[in-house]
Amino acid sequence: MITAHVKTKLIEIVGRENYDDSEADRLVYSYDATPQFQSLPDGVISPDNAKQVSDIVKVCNEHNIPIIPRGSGTNLCAGTCPTEGGLVLLFRHMNRILEIDEENLTVTVQPGVITLDMINEVEAKGLFYPPDPSSMKISTIGGNINENSGGLRGLKYGVTRDYVIALEIVLANGDIICTGGKLAKDVAGYDLTRLFVGSEGTLGIITEATLKLIPMPETKKTMLALYQDIDAAARSVSNIIANKIIPTTLEFLDQPTLQVVEDFAQIGLPTNVQAVLLIEQDGPEQVVERDMQRIAELCMLEQAVSVEVAQSEEHAMALRTARRAALSALARLKPTTILEDATVPRSEIAKMVRSINEIAVKYDVNICTFGHAGDGNLHPTCPTDSRNHDEIERVEKAFAEIFEKAVELGGTITGEHGVGVMKAPYLELKLGEQGIAAMRSIKAAFDPNNIMNPGKVFAKESRKRVVVTR
Amino acid sequence: MITAHVKTKLIEIVGRENYDDSEADRLVYSYDATPQFQSLPDGVISPDNAKQVSDIVKVCNEHNIPIIPRGSGTNLCAGTCPTEGGLVLLFRHMNRILEIDEENLTVTVQPGVITLDMINEVEAKGLFYPPDPSSMKISTIGGNINENSGGLRGLKYGVTRDYVIALEIVLANGDIICTGGKLAKDVAGYDLTRLFVGSEGTLGIITEATLKLIPMPETKKTMLALYQDIDAAARSVSNIIANKIIPTTLEFLDQPTLQVVEDFAQIGLPTNVQAVLLIEQDGPEQVVERDMQRIAELCMLEQAVSVEVAQSEEHAMALRTARRAALSALARLKPTTILEDATVPRSEIAKMVRSINEIAVKYDVNICTFGHAGDGNLHPTCPTDSRNHDEIERVEKAFAEIFEKAVELGGTITGEHGVGVMKAPYLELKLGEQGIAAMRSIKAAFDPNNIMNPGKVFAKESRKRVVVTR
């Protein structure tokens, strides 16, 4: 609850035009990209700088008001849904690229910068920021950092955490701290930089970040390998890596996904095969050429029906764009789309895909699977309808079993989407009671009044079923 | 103090042969590679497995006994000096490579494995573990993880933290937790894996680790560039990176260092130049060839006196080995050798080297400088004599000023050696009071009784001068 007194204080900090508690605005920020979660915040605030963020946080800490930092709300774990009310904090005034440092190969940004805008700016200077979440056209860097976003190039280049080298953070007590630096090496104390990446706004509010860049790869090639046997596709993934080739991208799409993506994108994707691998390699031309040839051989050895290299950058771009559109395409099928990201060691992909299909049959639900196969990061996706309570219950049971299977295979409940509210009930599967206790102790140390995005990461109680919060 | 009662309990856990509190053994483990620090432990214990470690920790936690996990004691920050007494915990029975997984490109080890032994094992399978601290012939992986060790290949490949993907950890309450997995992506909660890397044994005891491997680079070339002008050498470093070439290794040695290294190694290093860059590139042959040519051009543009490519792997190995021997060589000059690792953004290397030389003159001390120039990670080293109190005081003042300068240039007080006791008084320079408070809150959360390597990282009080603990 935000009282008139607190509201006055907040308006004093940001100005009347940057505080909104109208019904309309509260409704707009009551949900994010995650289906089945909605909850009204008490207000929406748009600070201009770290000092203002610090002042806001102090007020909230004093009055026990939840703060939910929010970029574009594209996350898929209900990480920015204000499930306990409070203040949604927007970065629309903190959205500048502050510096591209070509000598140290870094970019310094405010959290509200759109990911693709930043990528375009650095690429214009011949530099490369590899993390490329599918949402990058609209997602913000701040959101990417809070969720430790992955993407299609993660196999070779890693994820957001691997590129964050310095942060400015406002802690729950209002302290503004700076971690890291433009430094390749820094062991001055604990690595708070990486601890905050992926902490989902539960430990503090990131107000500035310096990201590592690398030189732009010289060339890139894109290939599609088609399979009538899902297992063979999965085995190809393991074989390519085991042959010591690390492609930039190694994506998997099963037949149902292919069908809906083609219906949506209409770029001539084959829909009469059981699975497709979308493979990309980048680097110096001769290396790319050689790797692609070897990859093609390995795919053929595993009974690929055909292997086809994109003949132009336009065609390659169309393939990548189609892959990135998979969620949007699947989302057209039914009113509700539940997309998960169970992840396994890449040697276990074939087993995991098989298990997903068996589980779908067992619970009589429709699950399409695609994802970053090279990372073992799969996206089993269920087009469903949240109004159909019977089906939703079966869907939830199916996903619970998928998470259990992933952990059993040495994997995790979430590879890149985060825990948020959505996956909190399953966290214990991966970490055990003692692992969660360790993480909770960090949360309590940084945020004793639990104002920083409360209700996320840690479940109120251990339970297996997702609880729909309407 | 370990009472007879506690001693009995400890012996019950590990057996009589694995507990030693003889004067001789306590003396052996009273110091590490760091000059000027010595303090007797109360006992030395050698557990066999995580369960035993957990039992030991529970006893220590109950009786408030410090535990100092120790590999080979090669650290340079007094990180394994038992400054508050207690129990030195050795990993001599936990020194096995448990698995090399060629499908997932990982190696799983116990903490007591010698770094180079593990590197040799994985290289025999065509795989590559890049972190290569100069001490790797005797250092352990457990020590490397606790200190987040760097090395000569850090510029291109990163440091230990970038390769640790899963840990088994015994916490101060005796809980055994497992973090991460054989996973390229995992966002299930806070990143405890990377938080523990570099935490210097102050948060828990690492009992097993899974490390990421990459395919072995196909070829490698080594080059020496000679300069009569230190600034020109430093500018070459910046220019190479700004030209979007990331060499594997980019090491700097000044004339005094060159002289002692050549006296020691006798491999024909030039000693009549002011500075040398040792440059290596690895990868596919054509790429290496092209990069080396471009690097040579860039060095010549900056007035290098000459640029010479090693003509054989033997010669290249001799150059690398000589560089790795720099500390040993410098250590022969005087009874005491103080080696630091102030680190700056690589664009600031020229300024930093100049400042170090000015500071040496100002305090009338002899400082040789070498280090990982490509990382901005310099090792200003002072051959001195700890019995000469007047000189030692000047040395300490000089290093304090070097740390201040590094931080002023956007750098850090330690790039790869860790804080330990040695650098604890300077940590506030880098982090500020609020940054230290944030880190202290993590320490308190994980180790409320302060039994885990107490006295390290955090200074008892803020002060500038190094306090010699004898």
Side-chain angles (χ1 to χ4, degrees), chain B residues 305-352:
Chain B
V305 178
S306 82
V307 172
E308 187 197 346
V309 176
Q311 287 311 313
S312 66
E313 176 49 27
E314 289 66 45
H315 187 204
M317 177 69 93
L319 291 174
R320 281 196 291 275
T321 306
R323 160 58 190 88
R324 281 189 209 283
L327 171 57
S328 321
L330 286 161
R332 297 163 74 226
L333 295 185
K334 288 281 199 91
T336 309
T337 309
I338 299 180
L339 178 145
E340 278 306 339
D341 73 329
T343 301
V344 291
R346 63 173 77 90
S347 59
E348 307 301 317
I349 290 166
K351 264 183 231 162
M352 191 67 214

Side-chain angles (χ1 to χ4, degrees), chain A residues 412-468:
Chain A
T412 185
I413 60 166
T414 173
E416 58 180 8
H417 291 172
V419 179
V421 192
M422 184 87 171
K423 239 101 53 133
Y426 305 100
L427 194 62
E428 198 176 315
L429 270 181
K430 169 70 173 77
L431 301 175
E433 215 176 291
Q434 301 181 330
I436 289 189
M439 289 188 189
R440 271 188 194 276
S441 75
I442 295 179
K443 169 70 175 172
F446 276 93
D447 181 24
N449 297 328
N450 195 26
I451 60 159
M452 289 290 173
N453 208 4
K456 311 301 158 61
V457 181
F458 304 107
K460 292 247 156 84
E461 44 179 325
S462 243
R463 59 193 166 189
K464 288 203 173 173
R465 290 220 25 232
V466 173
V467 173
V468 180

Side-chain angles (χ1 to χ4, degrees), chain B residues 8-326:
Chain B
T8 309
K9 279 190 180 181
L10 293 172
I11 288 175
E12 270 170 25
I13 297 167
V14 294
R16 187 165 296 278
E17 67 284 11
N18 291 312
Y19 180 83
D20 196 334
D21 55 7
S22 68
E23 180 93 24
D25 225 40
R26 289 167 58 218
L27 206 56
V28 166
Y29 295 105
S30 65
Y31 60 93
D32 57 27
T34 323
Q36 307 199 76
F37 292 89
Q38 186 171 21
S39 178
L40 284 176
D42 297 303
V44 180
I45 197 160
S46 302
D48 189 54
N49 52 56
K51 173 69 170 62
Q52 286 187 2
V53 174
S54 165
D55 289 343
I56 293 166
V57 166
K58 282 177 192 159
V59 170
C60 290
N61 203 24
E62 189 187 337
H63 298 277
N64 262 297
I65 297 164
I67 312 178
I68 303 92
R70 179 185 165 114
S72 301
T74 52
N75 78 84
L76 296 164
C77 63
T80 47
C81 178
T83 47
E84 306 193 0
L87 208 52
V88 167
L89 193 147
L90 302 180
F91 296 96
R92 60 197 175 97
H93 302 310
M94 296 174 72
N95 60 355
R96 277 175 304 135
I97 296 174
L98 300 174
E99 182 200 39
I100 298 177
D101 180 338
E102 294 184 74
E103 244 185 315
N104 290 303
L105 309 193
T106 62
V107 57
T108 300
V109 294
Q110 292 184 314
V113 173
I114 301 293
T115 313
L116 188 61
D117 291 350
M118 187 202 76
I119 287 180
N120 288 337
E121 291 279 329
V122 304
E123 290 193 358
K125 293 186 187 293
L127 295 169
F128 187 41
Y129 176 74
D132 61 339
S134 288
S135 57
M136 66 183 181
K137 266 191 195 173
I138 41 168
S139 71
T140 64
I141 286 291
N144 293 174
I145 293 173
N146 275 308
E147 300 294 325
N148 188 22
S149 299
L152 273 66
R153 304 190 283 229
L155 171 56
K156 184 171 183 172
Y157 291 109
V159 294
T160 302
R161 178 175 286 126
D162 300 309
Y163 293 87
V164 182
I165 57 173
L167 290 173
E168 181 187 75
I169 305 164
V170 177
L171 299 178
N173 61 5
D175 281 358
I176 303 176
I177 64 168
C178 292
T179 71
K182 287 181 183 173
L183 299 166
K185 289 177 175 173
D186 180 15
V187 290
Y190 304 147
D191 188 351
L192 295 187
T193 308
R194 275 143 200 116
L195 176 64
F196 272 83
V197 178
S199 64
E200 304 187 14
T202 63
L203 298 178
I205 296 172
I206 291 162
T207 49
E208 194 179 301
T210 298
L211 310 171
K212 182 176 106 167
L213 304 172
I214 58 175
M216 190 71 187
E218 294 160 40
T219 54
K220 183 176 201 167
K221 275 205 181 281
T222 305
M223 178 194 282
L224 271 193
L226 316 184
Y227 295 85
Q228 287 302 4
D229 175 4
I230 291 188
D231 263 23
R235 280 196 310 270
S236 295
V237 172
S238 299
N239 283 353
I240 293 166
I241 314 279
N243 271 273
K244 307 194 172 70
I245 301 172
I246 312 286
T248 308
T249 295
L250 194 33
E251 297 287 311
F252 170 90
L253 294 91
D254 69 2
Q255 196 279 333
T257 310
L258 273 172
Q259 185 68 58
V260 295
V261 169
E262 175 57 18
D263 290 349
F264 177 75
Q266 310 241 342
I267 60 159
L269 281 176
T271 55
N272 57 347
V273 292
Q274 287 307 303
V276 150
L277 293 180
L278 171 68
I279 305 168
E280 297 200 306
Q281 181 61 304
D282 63 10
E285 198 168 344
Q286 290 142 329
V287 177
V288 170
E289 203 62 58
R290 191 189 57 180
D291 282 355
M292 289 306 259
Q293 201 166 334
R294 184 81 186 108
I295 291 169
E297 286 163 17
L298 290 166
C299 292
M300 293 308 287
L301 271 177
E302 283 294 350
Q303 318 301 332
V305 178
S306 82
V307 172
E308 187 197 346
V309 176
Q311 287 311 313
S312 66
E313 176 49 27
E314 289 66 45
H315 187 204
M317 177 69 93
L319 291 174
R320 281 196 291 275
T321 306
R323 160 58 190 88
R324 281 189 209 283

Side-chain angles (χ1 to χ4, degrees), chain A residues 117-226:
Chain A
D117 290 351
M118 188 203 73
I119 288 179
N120 287 338
E121 291 279 329
V122 304
E123 291 193 357
K125 292 183 187 296
L127 295 169
F128 187 40
Y129 176 74
D132 61 340
S134 289
S135 56
M136 66 183 181
K137 267 192 195 173
I138 41 168
S139 71
T140 64
I141 286 291
N144 293 174
I145 293 173
N146 275 309
E147 300 295 324
N148 187 22
S149 300
L152 273 65
R153 305 190 284 228
L155 170 58
K156 184 170 185 174
Y157 292 109
V159 294
T160 302
R161 179 175 284 126
D162 300 307
Y163 294 86
V164 182
I165 57 174
L167 290 174
E168 180 187 77
I169 304 165
V170 176
L171 299 177
N173 61 5
D175 280 359
I176 303 176
I177 65 169
C178 292
T179 71
K182 286 181 183 174
L183 299 165
K185 290 176 173 173
D186 179 15
V187 290
Y190 304 145
D191 189 351
L192 296 187
T193 309
R194 273 138 201 120
L195 176 64
F196 271 84
V197 178
S199 65
E200 306 188 11
T202 63
L203 299 178
I205 297 173
I206 291 161
T207 49
E208 194 178 304
T210 298
L211 310 171
K212 184 175 104 167
L213 303 173
I214 58 175
M216 190 74 190
E218 295 160 39
T219 54
K220 184 177 203 169
K221 275 205 184 275
T222 305
M223 178 193 282
L224 270 192
L226 316 186

